[in-house]
Amino acid sequence: MKSKKIQGIIPPMVTPLENQDELDIEGLEKLIEHIINGGVHGLFVLGTTGEAQSLSYHLRYTLVDLAIKIVNGRIPVLAGVSDTSFVESLNFAKHAYHCGASAVVSTPPYYYTPNQKELINYFIAFADNSPLPLFLYNMPSHVKVNLDVETVVNLSMHENIIGLKDSSGNLLYFQEVVQALKKVEDFSILIGPEEMLMQSILTGGHGGVIGGANMFPKLYVEMYGASVNRDLDRMNILQEKILKICSNIYSIGNSGGGYLPGLKAALCHLGICKNVLALPYSAFGENEIREIQRKLDSMDLEEWI
Amino acid sequence: MKSKKIQGIIPPMVTPLENQDELDIEGLEKLIEHIINGGVHGLFVLGTTGEAQSLSYHLRYTLVDLAIKIVNGRIPVLAGVSDTSFVESLNFAKHAYHCGASAVVSTPPYYYTPNQKELINYFIAFADNSPLPLFLYNMPSHVKVNLDVETVVNLSMHENIIGLKDSSGNLLYFQEVVQALKKVEDFSILIGPEEMLMQSILTGGHGGVIGGANMFPKLYVEMYGASVNRDLDRMNILQEKILKICSNIYSIGNSGGGYLPGLKAALCHLGICKNVLALPYSAFGENEIREIQRKLDSMDLEEWI
Amino acid sequence: MKSKKIQGIIPPMVTPLENQDELDIEGLEKLIEHIINGGVHGLFVLGTTGEAQSLSYHLRYTLVDLAIKIVNGRIPVLAGVSDTSFVESLNFAKHAYHCGASAVVSTPPYYYTPNQKELINYFIAFADNSPLPLFLYNMPSHVKVNLDVETVVNLSMHENIIGLKDSSGNLLYFQEVVQALKKVEDFSILIGPEEMLMQSILTGGHGGVIGGANMFPKLYVEMYGASVNRDLDRMNILQEKILKICSNIYSIGNSGGGYLPGLKAALCHLGICKNVLALPYSAFGENEIREIQRKLDSMDLEEWI
Amino acid sequence: MKSKKIQGIIPPMVTPLENQDELDIEGLEKLIEHIINGGVHGLFVLGTTGEAQSLSYHLRYTLVDLAIKIVNGRIPVLAGVSDTSFVESLNFAKHAYHCGASAVVSTPPYYYTPNQKELINYFIAFADNSPLPLFLYNMPSHVKVNLDVETVVNLSMHENIIGLKDSSGNLLYFQEVVQALKKVEDFSILIGPEEMLMQSILTGGHGGVIGGANMFPKLYVEMYGASVNRDLDRMNILQEKILKICSNIYSIGNSGGGYLPGLKAALCHLGICKNVLALPYSAFGENEIREIQRKLDSMDLEEWI
């Protein structure tokens, strides 16, 4: 029997850093309190927004442990275990289990490119051995392979696979998955890009893994509620705010990391954590930071911080 | 001052496995002896052909140590340290140094997609801190980003960066790099795909990192010599053999791993190591193995084993 | 001053054919009557669904002329003038004008790949010279280049450019365009893929260019109305039907033409036109036709034909 | 029986223009004399370098006619008939036949994306009906689909299909085609990118369709001879020159047309034809023209003009 469905707003937590191999522990505490105060339904540590792949294993093990202690049972914690190595990924899932995580989240391995049959074998072997239930994580831009709809349907039959986080940005795919899994109970389908949270809920999705909820958790929690209640007028007002965040904060600079340096600079400006990124990315310089500050201050978002 | 130039045939060693997290040590010894007997100029462990990314760190640390002990100074050993995490990659380089490796080889980080400026920062930070000289590894099909010619030129100025392995399969790119680096001494430019070894040497390259040299090291060593000596008649005869290996052994099955399962099955048939692959790939089944056997036996390659 | 806004359901008409270079005139008449009876808001001839690029110019000239005569002013007719040659495209726009078309629709030229600046020059030169107002047509899967949001904004300032048909299937892009053009009056933003009609209207779009409306015009006209009226319950019922059409009719066979052979076979089964496609595509064989028939008969769609 | 094999250097002729829809006839005459004086083995009009797809049909019909009259039997003329419409393409092949062309050259249709089976059907239907023998033209960057090796092998059996021009820039593919067609007599395999002419001949190719031969026909003719004679020393000297042309002339500016504006500006500077491009491209402005002049004058290429 599958565990209780995980849905709603589950922020992919930014990882506060002191330097390349040390956590900003004060920042971590502040960030988790800030997110939980926003009313979110879960916390996802070590996802793409958490720069997981750029961190050492030592740091990743410590982070899961600490984050779960800080959360202290208030909301479920999901741990990202995506790796290129099956053995490392499974070992990390066992660690997360011992720390008290509620589930693990895994992309396909992302150096080699398995075909769909190999993906199915991989995730079934993983789910058979994992002490924690598994969320599939579709992220073709970073992973190179897509989890085909048939693959997701196949894997959804496994009792230890409980959901899909789809960050493809492809609503046609998302909708196909929702249709195909309509009759699978206790399977949760979450969207990645926050610009599509509203449309994904209307399409039948169950929530969102929303980077912006590190900054403005209340905004996305309210959007989730408005979408579930089909309050189109409220949704349109909130969507306006969300799109402004995306166009103002995420599009600054020209890093290959896209929204990441902007997000971390904004959290720093909001007094939440340090502005340090793991290589291959770097913190913004003064000009970009000033631009972030100016835009944040002009967007009239205080009530959702 | 840069170290002595590494050039010639440097096989990317297959990693012999007992199972997902254990080495086939007997196979490892046999394989290394087999390769060295073929007259190669170096050995590259934990590259793409070595399934590095699919292996646990524990196994990778052990493998470098063991391989260098078996080689015992007869040829230089290069260790693959490609990772998504700068810290893990550098730690592994330090381990390889203590084991006695001659150089390390690194692709760009392959989950996030750094831009060229970020790539330069990444590799300079790495080379500044690495106790071993660094070979850049261009592998856009797996890594998603290409090392632009200007980036390679820029990095070639660093005294701890000693070469490029180019597995792009793009001769136009390879030729541009050769031209651009003509005047940089002690910088070694090696080709990946073995079908292009001949043309790459004629274009000005310095050798090849050739998966097929796990099976037939003498063949590729002879091709290298013929190419350096510009013996076009001999080259054409050898190229015929090489292309047959590629079309016969590497194209069997439809794994996302391409040539990998065929290569390992062939090494098993030649009595060198076990036919075990790390997830996400799997060893061939009976039908494909029989096909491999039939083709190997029909290709008349005994003299180059 | 721009012409009256063109919005709502504007089917991209299938081109009924007798053979490679002859129209199925009886089919053309039946099809147009069928579509108009469905209550659509316009007709788009010679789009992607109309196989425009596969037809000779002689046939294209004839088709525009005939279709406009048959429509006889009941709804606006838009003529596809996409070409690789500016001169041919403009000549065809002049012909469409003389026939009485309401507007022309053009993708970027699709053999060479202009950059965004060259795209702007191209469309401005076109709009300056065209006797008919221009709809931009974004179709990156076929054209290779995307019309960037900034490019669309720039071109929307031209008084002879009146809208965008976006067939990218990328809702993030669509939403950005809608946001960016909010204050441009009389600019119409239409969606391509019919699976996203509902979401696009909720996102602020003005209608759809819907291939399925060749078969079931009433269904899409009703969905448009329900979406404009924000009747979410009705939308969900209709969306169920639409997704079934897509998964049942468009996914049969493995032609590079995707939905095209299925659509034409279905129209033939519905007694509307002949089942003839222009090269490089071919009509379905018996097996696929039987599958289409079986699925059409089982889908309970009579009321929307 | 197939016609005599067409091989050697066959420049894809630039189309000299007065304006968007008029030929620069004086330029055309000068250019053809210039090319023939260079000793080339054939002339290919209306290829990618000839901006064929950007020109009106009226202009294309005129150009084939005029070019063949000017050539006047001195060398074979190949006419590009690539189109998205089978009927237009075949009509144009008939025109070329009446004008006296030796063969036609065709890419796959480039708006829709046929699968390999549909490509085979398309080209067989074409070859069955064409009064002139057909060269296949592989150009995946512009056409989106690649002619798979098996497809080329299949089509090479048709007696009216006499060769392949491969502009993929992929030497692995080129080599596979050469191997696969070794035993097909009278089938000619020509390379596109001039930087790879030398390596393609050593790999077993039969010549090149070389844009730079519009400027420096003698250089490429000499390279072809040196390659056939395996004069590696001479080849290296000439390759140096060729690579300089590519890096100096083709890389100026940032047009989506790549080398095209530079090539036309250079021909203008050499006094051969006007500097007019067809939309979507435009002639270089003053700065780029001065850069071209400066580089041309500094490259010491007079003897090969």
Side-chain angles (χ1 to χ4, degrees), chain A residues 54-67:
Chain A
S54 302
L55 305 173
S56 74
Y57 259 103
H58 176 72
L59 195 148
R60 290 190 231 179
Y61 273 71
T62 308
L63 175 64
V64 166
D65 192 22
L66 271 178

PDB file of all heavy atoms in Angstrom, chain A residues 54-67:
ATOM      1  N   SER A  54      26.253  19.665  -7.617  1.00  0.00           N
ATOM      2  CA  SER A  54      27.507  20.406  -7.466  1.00  0.00           C
ATOM      3  C   SER A  54      28.132  20.231  -6.087  1.00  0.00           C
ATOM      4  O   SER A  54      29.233  20.732  -5.854  1.00  0.00           O
ATOM      5  CB  SER A  54      27.258  21.904  -7.715  1.00  0.00           C
ATOM      6  OG  SER A  54      26.726  22.115  -9.004  1.00  0.00           O
ATOM      7  N   LEU A  55      27.447  19.537  -5.207  1.00  0.00           N
ATOM      8  CA  LEU A  55      27.915  19.438  -3.821  1.00  0.00           C
ATOM      9  C   LEU A  55      28.610  18.107  -3.571  1.00  0.00           C
ATOM     10  O   LEU A  55      28.279  17.098  -4.184  1.00  0.00           O
ATOM     11  CB  LEU A  55      26.723  19.584  -2.873  1.00  0.00           C
ATOM     12  CG  LEU A  55      25.900  20.869  -3.070  1.00  0.00           C
ATOM     13  CD1 LEU A  55      24.656  20.831  -2.204  1.00  0.00           C
ATOM     14  CD2 LEU A  55      26.747  22.114  -2.790  1.00  0.00           C
ATOM     15  N   SER A  56      29.524  18.090  -2.628  1.00  0.00           N
ATOM     16  CA  SER A  56      30.188  16.839  -2.262  1.00  0.00           C
ATOM     17  C   SER A  56      29.194  15.933  -1.542  1.00  0.00           C
ATOM     18  O   SER A  56      28.197  16.397  -0.981  1.00  0.00           O
ATOM     19  CB  SER A  56      31.361  17.119  -1.329  1.00  0.00           C
ATOM     20  OG  SER A  56      30.884  17.447  -0.042  1.00  0.00           O
ATOM     21  N   TYR A  57      29.490  14.645  -1.561  1.00  0.00           N
ATOM     22  CA  TYR A  57      28.616  13.723  -0.843  1.00  0.00           C
ATOM     23  C   TYR A  57      28.593  14.004   0.653  1.00  0.00           C
ATOM     24  O   TYR A  57      27.561  13.901   1.316  1.00  0.00           O
ATOM     25  CB  TYR A  57      29.005  12.275  -1.118  1.00  0.00           C
ATOM     26  CG  TYR A  57      28.062  11.725  -2.141  1.00  0.00           C
ATOM     27  CD1 TYR A  57      28.441  11.586  -3.461  1.00  0.00           C
ATOM     28  CD2 TYR A  57      26.747  11.444  -1.779  1.00  0.00           C
ATOM     29  CE1 TYR A  57      27.535  11.144  -4.399  1.00  0.00           C
ATOM     30  CE2 TYR A  57      25.838  10.997  -2.707  1.00  0.00           C
ATOM     31  CZ  TYR A  57      26.227  10.848  -4.018  1.00  0.00           C
ATOM     32  OH  TYR A  57      25.320  10.425  -4.936  1.00  0.00           O
ATOM     33  N   HIS A  58      29.745  14.357   1.172  1.00  0.00           N
ATOM     34  CA  HIS A  58      29.813  14.689   2.583  1.00  0.00           C
ATOM     35  C   HIS A  58      28.796  15.786   2.919  1.00  0.00           C
ATOM     36  O   HIS A  58      28.013  15.667   3.869  1.00  0.00           O
ATOM     37  CB  HIS A  58      31.233  15.153   2.923  1.00  0.00           C
ATOM     38  CG  HIS A  58      31.362  15.607   4.332  1.00  0.00           C
ATOM     39  ND1 HIS A  58      31.336  14.736   5.405  1.00  0.00           N
ATOM     40  CD2 HIS A  58      31.478  16.846   4.873  1.00  0.00           C
ATOM     41  CE1 HIS A  58      31.443  15.415   6.520  1.00  0.00           C
ATOM     42  NE2 HIS A  58      31.534  16.691   6.238  1.00  0.00           N
ATOM     43  N   LEU A  59      28.806  16.832   2.116  1.00  0.00           N
ATOM     44  CA  LEU A  59      27.877  17.928   2.378  1.00  0.00           C
ATOM     45  C   LEU A  59      26.429  17.490   2.193  1.00  0.00           C
ATOM     46  O   LEU A  59      25.543  17.865   2.961  1.00  0.00           O
ATOM     47  CB  LEU A  59      28.224  19.117   1.473  1.00  0.00           C
ATOM     48  CG  LEU A  59      27.591  20.446   1.872  1.00  0.00           C
ATOM     49  CD1 LEU A  59      28.502  21.609   1.506  1.00  0.00           C
ATOM     50  CD2 LEU A  59      26.238  20.628   1.243  1.00  0.00           C
ATOM     51  N   ARG A  60      26.176  16.666   1.171  1.00  0.00           N
ATOM     52  CA  ARG A  60      24.801  16.229   0.947  1.00  0.00           C
ATOM     53  C   ARG A  60      24.291  15.394   2.123  1.00  0.00           C
ATOM     54  O   ARG A  60      23.141  15.561   2.553  1.00  0.00           O
ATOM     55  CB  ARG A  60      24.714  15.389  -0.342  1.00  0.00           C
ATOM     56  CG  ARG A  60      24.920  16.196  -1.614  1.00  0.00           C
ATOM     57  CD  ARG A  60      24.593  15.366  -2.844  1.00  0.00           C
ATOM     58  NE  ARG A  60      25.686  15.408  -3.828  1.00  0.00           N
ATOM     59  CZ  ARG A  60      25.691  14.762  -4.978  1.00  0.00           C
ATOM     60  NH1 ARG A  60      24.677  13.982  -5.312  1.00  0.00           N
ATOM     61  NH2 ARG A  60      26.707  14.856  -5.812  1.00  0.00           N
ATOM     62  N   TYR A  61      25.118  14.491   2.624  1.00  0.00           N
ATOM     63  CA  TYR A  61      24.702  13.673   3.773  1.00  0.00           C
ATOM     64  C   TYR A  61      24.374  14.552   4.980  1.00  0.00           C
ATOM     65  O   TYR A  61      23.378  14.349   5.674  1.00  0.00           O
ATOM     66  CB  TYR A  61      25.811  12.666   4.130  1.00  0.00           C
ATOM     67  CG  TYR A  61      25.718  11.362   3.351  1.00  0.00           C
ATOM     68  CD1 TYR A  61      26.022  11.316   1.989  1.00  0.00           C
ATOM     69  CD2 TYR A  61      25.322  10.176   3.968  1.00  0.00           C
ATOM     70  CE1 TYR A  61      25.938  10.131   1.268  1.00  0.00           C
ATOM     71  CE2 TYR A  61      25.236   8.985   3.250  1.00  0.00           C
ATOM     72  CZ  TYR A  61      25.545   8.967   1.907  1.00  0.00           C
ATOM     73  OH  TYR A  61      25.462   7.795   1.188  1.00  0.00           O
ATOM     74  N   THR A  62      25.241  15.524   5.238  1.00  0.00           N
ATOM     75  CA  THR A  62      25.028  16.429   6.364  1.00  0.00           C
ATOM     76  C   THR A  62      23.749  17.236   6.191  1.00  0.00           C
ATOM     77  O   THR A  62      22.965  17.409   7.139  1.00  0.00           O
ATOM     78  CB  THR A  62      26.227  17.407   6.464  1.00  0.00           C
ATOM     79  OG1 THR A  62      27.429  16.646   6.483  1.00  0.00           O
ATOM     80  CG2 THR A  62      26.126  18.250   7.724  1.00  0.00           C
ATOM     81  N   LEU A  63      23.542  17.727   4.983  1.00  0.00           N
ATOM     82  CA  LEU A  63      22.394  18.599   4.748  1.00  0.00           C
ATOM     83  C   LEU A  63      21.074  17.884   5.015  1.00  0.00           C
ATOM     84  O   LEU A  63      20.173  18.433   5.666  1.00  0.00           O
ATOM     85  CB  LEU A  63      22.427  19.126   3.312  1.00  0.00           C
ATOM     86  CG  LEU A  63      21.206  19.958   2.921  1.00  0.00           C
ATOM     87  CD1 LEU A  63      21.144  21.223   3.751  1.00  0.00           C
ATOM     88  CD2 LEU A  63      21.214  20.290   1.445  1.00  0.00           C
ATOM     89  N   VAL A  64      20.930  16.682   4.507  1.00  0.00           N
ATOM     90  CA  VAL A  64      19.680  15.942   4.721  1.00  0.00           C
ATOM     91  C   VAL A  64      19.437  15.763   6.206  1.00  0.00           C
ATOM     92  O   VAL A  64      18.318  15.980   6.704  1.00  0.00           O
ATOM     93  CB  VAL A  64      19.739  14.577   4.011  1.00  0.00           C
ATOM     94  CG1 VAL A  64      18.620  13.655   4.502  1.00  0.00           C
ATOM     95  CG2 VAL A  64      19.624  14.762   2.504  1.00  0.00           C
ATOM     96  N   ASP A  65      20.481  15.386   6.886  1.00  0.00           N
ATOM     97  CA  ASP A  65      20.368  15.162   8.323  1.00  0.00           C
ATOM     98  C   ASP A  65      19.915  16.441   9.037  1.00  0.00           C
ATOM     99  O   ASP A  65      18.926  16.448   9.792  1.00  0.00           O
ATOM    100  CB  ASP A  65      21.748  14.711   8.827  1.00  0.00           C
ATOM    101  CG  ASP A  65      21.682  14.180  10.239  1.00  0.00           C
ATOM    102  OD1 ASP A  65      20.583  13.778  10.670  1.00  0.00           O
ATOM    103  OD2 ASP A  65      22.731  14.169  10.908  1.00  0.00           O
ATOM    104  N   LEU A  66      20.629  17.522   8.784  1.00  0.00           N
ATOM    105  CA  LEU A  66      20.319  18.791   9.444  1.00  0.00           C
ATOM    106  C   LEU A  66      18.939  19.313   9.082  1.00  0.00           C
ATOM    107  O   LEU A  66      18.187  19.761   9.954  1.00  0.00           O
ATOM    108  CB  LEU A  66      21.352  19.848   9.028  1.00  0.00           C
ATOM    109  CG  LEU A  66      22.606  19.953   9.866  1.00  0.00           C
ATOM    110  CD1 LEU A  66      23.524  21.013   9.282  1.00  0.00           C
ATOM    111  CD2 LEU A  66      22.230  20.321  11.315  1.00  0.00           C
ATOM    112  N   ALA A  67      18.612  19.261   7.817  1.00  0.00           N
ATOM    113  CA  ALA A  67      17.330  19.835   7.384  1.00  0.00           C
ATOM    114  C   ALA A  67      16.185  19.098   8.056  1.00  0.00           C
ATOM    115  O   ALA A  67      15.212  19.716   8.534  1.00  0.00           O
ATOM    116  CB  ALA A  67      17.207  19.753   5.859  1.00  0.00           C
TER     117      ALA A  67
END
